[in-house]
Amino acid sequence: MRLRSIPRAISIALFALFSIVTAAQADVSAVDVLGRTVTLPEPAKKVILSFYYEDFNAIAGPGAMDKVVGLSLSPWKDWRPKQFEAYLKAIPEIADIPDVGDTETGTFSIEKIISLKPDLVILAAWSWNSLGEKVNQFENAGIPVVVVDYNAQTLERHVASTLALGKLMGTEDRAEKLAELYKARYEDTRARVQEAGPSDKKVYVELAQNGPDAIGNSYGNGMWGAVIENLGGINIAKGQVENWGPLNPEYVIGQQPDIILLAGSEWLNKPAAVIVGFGADEDLAQERMRAYLTRSGWSDLPAVKNGDVHAIYHGGARTLSDFIYSRYIAKLLYPEAFADVDPAAEIKAYYHEWLPIEADGIYVMPLDTANN
């Protein structure tokens, strides 16, 4: 009897050992943009999504929103309303996801998030910074947080964010393909720029939200400012504003910009805004852009005289698809080097391959000066 019990004891021990090894192998770990190691017992199934909605959908793939149990609604629904409508039409279930508030308006509810019992909170780096020590409440509740950042406009942070989300969502292969796509297009752009550049063209970007009677923000070190600098162009907001803020109109005229980018979007209740993005009407966008030329001194600017006033989708400035908008600006700086590049077509192709909606609308567009 005793001899027969030994194999059983060994079996039990081996089973226990196997269970421990299997559990360890099931763990998924990723390093986020802050260098923090985030470990989950298995790929996330209940996620809080605070920002980077399109990037999450691209990386997590089909069924991504089924795993979202809480959402910062306002930055999506209010900042990009037509984009949100397109996703809502494609994935009606989004309407049932609880709103957890957002850090921009100070409504972000850690208590509500904890009550939803997520196994992962996805925070933008700027939200992490805004929360400060409050993020410790997640750790105290045993809820992992991964920090991602597509705002910094660096290859390193884009790739790190993408790979981290892919690992934690169990879509590592998809994330690696997206990271490789981004890196390849980024490096192709850089190679063309290095061969052709640097450029002596001055670029002025303005957030075209409130029309020509109000001076919109320009961008110093981040977002569009970082894109222009990476491309070897001269950003006239550099040194004038740290991150974003309006430039003095006289300063803009004095700089004599060669290229003007009017950053538009799908804003609601903005009767003078340059409306581009999902479902945008080309004639209306052209009309709103043309209104900016009525500003004092603008008719004599090199950008206006040479037909280099453009609309660009503001929602594309901090995404995995921002390499396309970078290529549009690069083509303005170095027309010959990017003669074979069609950014408008690249945007449509990216959405078709990676996202659950199509890019129906206007995302980059020159002002038609023939109708001035």
Side-chain angles (χ1 to χ4, degrees), residues 54-301:
E54 289 206 293
D55 308 307
F56 174 78
N57 274 278
I59 295 163
M65 296 306 297
D66 294 338
K67 299 175 182 178
V68 178
V69 298
L71 184 72
S72 288
L73 186 61
S74 179
W76 198 1
K77 184 179 180 180
D78 297 338
W79 298 4
R80 308 284 176 260
K82 294 297 183 180
Q83 182 192 99
F84 178 78
E85 285 180 14
Y87 277 89
L88 193 60
K89 184 176 181 180
I91 313 170
E93 295 78 13
I94 291 176
D96 299 324
I97 300 174
D99 179 15
V100 299
D102 60 276
T103 58
E104 184 75 6
T105 59
T107 58
F108 193 71
S109 175
I110 294 178
E111 293 78 11
K112 185 171 184 177
I113 290 171
I114 292 174
S115 73
L116 293 170
K117 299 180 180 179
D119 47 36
L120 181 66
V121 174
I122 300 172
L123 283 183
W126 54 271
S127 290
W128 169 275
N129 293 334
S130 176
L131 289 171
E133 293 185 358
K134 292 180 181 178
V135 297
N136 295 332
Q137 295 179 48
F138 290 125
E139 182 180 352
N140 295 338
I143 300 173
V145 176
V146 62
V147 181
V148 293
D149 185 4
Y150 294 101
N151 279 54
Q153 298 297 337
T154 67
L155 174 62
E156 293 76 18
R157 285 210 162 194
H158 272 61
V159 169
S161 299
T162 303
L163 296 180
L165 285 178
K167 283 189 175 182
L168 297 174
M169 296 305 303
T171 53
E172 192 169 355
D173 289 346
R174 189 177 178 92
E176 287 177 353
K177 290 177 182 178
L178 276 163
E180 284 300 317
L181 169 66
Y182 190 90
K183 184 178 179 182
R185 296 295 173 83
Y186 183 95
E187 290 180 345
D188 175 70
T189 301
R190 292 284 292 175
R192 293 174 188 242
V193 167
Q194 287 175 3
E195 185 175 350
S199 173
D200 60 357
K201 292 182 179 179
K202 296 181 179 180
V203 185
Y204 172 53
V205 183
E206 182 175 334
L207 186 66
Q209 188 177 53
N210 295 307
D213 294 335
I215 307 301
N217 286 339
S218 195
Y219 301 87
N221 295 320
M223 296 183 64
W224 297 118
V227 172
I228 295 164
E229 187 170 353
N230 288 340
L231 295 173
I234 301 171
N235 173 28
I236 67 169
K238 181 76 172 181
Q240 301 298 309
V241 292
E242 180 65 24
N243 291 312
W244 56 79
L247 297 182
N248 184 291
E250 287 75 18
Y251 171 79
V252 173
I253 293 172
Q255 287 293 302
Q256 293 286 290
D258 302 285
I259 298 168
I260 293 175
L261 299 174
L262 297 174
S265 190
E266 309 140 350
W267 301 295
L268 300 177
N269 304 315
K270 297 288 184 181
V274 174
I275 301 297
V276 296
F278 290 84
D281 178 77
E282 183 174 346
D283 290 339
L284 177 62
Q286 289 284 340
E287 177 186 328
R288 299 282 178 82
M289 292 169 68
R290 197 168 294 113
Y292 278 77
L293 305 191
T294 63
R295 281 178 169 174
S296 176
W298 271 48
S299 61
D300 294 324
L301 293 177

Side-chain angles (χ1 to χ4, degrees), residues 297-325:
W298 271 48
S299 61
D300 294 324
L301 293 177
V304 176
K305 288 183 175 180
N306 298 329
D308 256 335
V309 178
H310 303 259
I312 195 164
Y313 183 49
H314 194 55
R318 46 194 173 193
T319 68
L320 253 176
S321 59
D322 62 23
F323 69 86
I324 303 171
Y325 299 92

